[in-house]
Amino acid sequence: MTWVLALVVLALGFPWGAALVARRLALVLPPREASWALAGAAVLLAGGTTAALVGLFHVPFLAALERMSLAQVLAEWPAAVPFAGTAGAVLLVQAVLLVRRWARQRALLRRAWQLAGEGTGDGDVLVIPAADVDAFALPAYQGRPGRVVLTSGTVRTLKAGEREVLLAHERAHLAGRHHLLSAVVDLATVVHPALRGLRASLAFHLERWADESAARVMGDRRIAAAAIARAALAGSSHRRGGAYPLLSAVNGPVPRRVEALLRPEPTAPRGGARRAAVALAGTVVVTAVAALGLAYGLHEYVEYAARRLIGAE
């Protein structure tokens, strides 16, 4: 059963390399494409990991379908039960953590809307009473449309043009439904620890995506860069935004974002990005094939073992 161990290593070990390649690829892609690449890689790698675990977990059940006793299974493959038990335990832990993470996301969104209830509205903008400088995108919830939330401190501290940059930034988050990408990757990190690094990378590129949208709306990249820098400098270190579901213009590695806005707008990827994309796609495909191969191979092996035992009788 050496081949089984090899497939297990491929299916569960490759996400470490794939996550690294995905982060490298994102650095050479425009923000929108980078965000989708990171989210897609997280979903596919999490799916491959789950498929591999399900395949391992089902070995005793496949044997039962072939009328093989547990003693016969252990005689053919002594590691079957430990592997299946470990895979089942991991799947159970993953399920519990996924439910808890989803509940936490919903609780954060609910509390944010309760906080927004204290604000005053003007179109899609809500101003809430708070001294710190902050702005964040509040996703739609229970039939209520998404809103852009500003603190009263932001209104007092920033000039009208600077506030317009923040509003354009947060509207880009809402229009692009960035909170969904953020939520999906946040959930995927529960499935495999290698995917945790994709969460911070995605958060950065989502902010860059919204920065570029705000710069296009304003028609001046330097104005957008200056407004984001000023808002970040004036803001509090204890902000509400920066993670699902509250994506904020004044969070994350602001100096890198400002530096990017002071350069020309990113263009479509060229040779280096294509090679990185091919490497990422190849790594993800290997992970998926290994997971599917593991599930199929285990099924075929159980059938082979059953036929051999029947023939021996």
Side-chain angles (χ1 to χ4, degrees):
M1 296 299 288
T2 304
W3 63 271
V4 174
L5 295 177
L7 287 175
V8 170
V9 171
L10 282 175
L12 303 182
F14 253 66
W16 294 101
L20 177 61
V21 173
R23 295 199 301 270
R24 296 284 180 86
L25 170 63
L27 293 175
V28 296
L29 289 174
R32 178 176 179 174
E33 288 77 5
S35 299
W36 280 106
L38 290 167
V43 170
L44 291 174
L45 292 171
T49 299
T50 302
L53 291 171
V54 170
L56 287 172
F57 179 62
H58 272 74
V59 171
F61 300 99
L62 292 173
L65 290 175
E66 297 293 336
R67 291 186 170 82
M68 289 179 66
S69 68
L70 184 58
Q72 291 172 324
V73 173
L74 291 174
E76 289 294 322
W77 185 22
V81 172
F83 268 54
T86 301
V90 172
L91 287 169
L92 178 60
V93 170
Q94 287 177 346
V96 172
L97 292 177
L98 281 169
V99 171
R100 290 180 59 184
R101 185 66 58 88
W102 174 254
R104 188 180 73 176
Q105 290 179 356
R106 300 303 294 176
L108 285 170
L109 187 55
R110 183 171 59 253
R111 287 197 298 269
W113 270 102
Q114 290 172 350
L115 176 67
E118 303 173 6
T120 57
D122 182 13
D124 65 340
V125 179
L126 285 174
V127 178
I128 59 175
D132 58 327
V133 174
D134 197 6
F136 56 88
L138 187 57
Y141 180 68
Q142 293 185 344
R144 289 173 285 188
R147 295 291 189 94
V148 175
V149 179
L150 299 178
T151 61
S152 54
T154 303
V155 176
R156 288 193 303 269
T157 305
L158 301 185
K159 299 176 183 177
E162 294 168 337
R163 294 198 300 271
E164 285 301 316
V165 172
L166 297 191
L167 290 175
H169 177 104
E170 302 306 338
R171 284 168 177 152
H173 280 318
L174 293 176
R177 303 180 73 80
H178 295 175
H179 62 286
L180 295 180
L181 294 179
S182 182
V184 166
V185 173
D186 188 43
L187 292 173
T189 60
V190 170
V191 176
H192 199 295
L195 305 182
R196 293 172 186 168
L198 298 183
R199 183 166 47 195
S201 183
L202 176 66
F204 169 72
H205 290 288
L206 287 176
E207 295 302 334
R208 284 281 300 116
W209 182 353
D211 287 344
E212 292 296 332
S213 296
R216 285 192 292 271
V217 170
M218 301 304 294
D220 191 318
R221 298 177 66 79
R222 289 186 173 274
I223 290 177
I228 290 171
R230 176 167 161 73
L233 288 172
S236 166
S237 61
H238 305 288
R239 299 189 180 99
R240 301 176 184 85
Y244 178 87
L246 311 177
L247 298 168
S248 171
V250 292
N251 274 276
V254 174
R256 287 177 59 195
R257 292 167 50 201
V258 170
E259 181 184 0
L261 282 172
L262 294 177
R263 296 195 299 265
E265 183 174 357
T267 56
R270 297 190 177 182
R274 292 195 194 99
R275 288 191 293 272
V278 170
L280 174 61
T283 308
V284 171
V285 167
V286 168
T287 305
V289 169
L292 293 174
L294 175 62
Y296 177 77
L298 287 172
H299 182 270
E300 290 297 305
Y301 180 79
V302 170
E303 286 191 345
Y304 165 75
R307 289 195 299 270
R308 193 172 66 176
L309 287 172
I310 292 173
E313 294 174 355

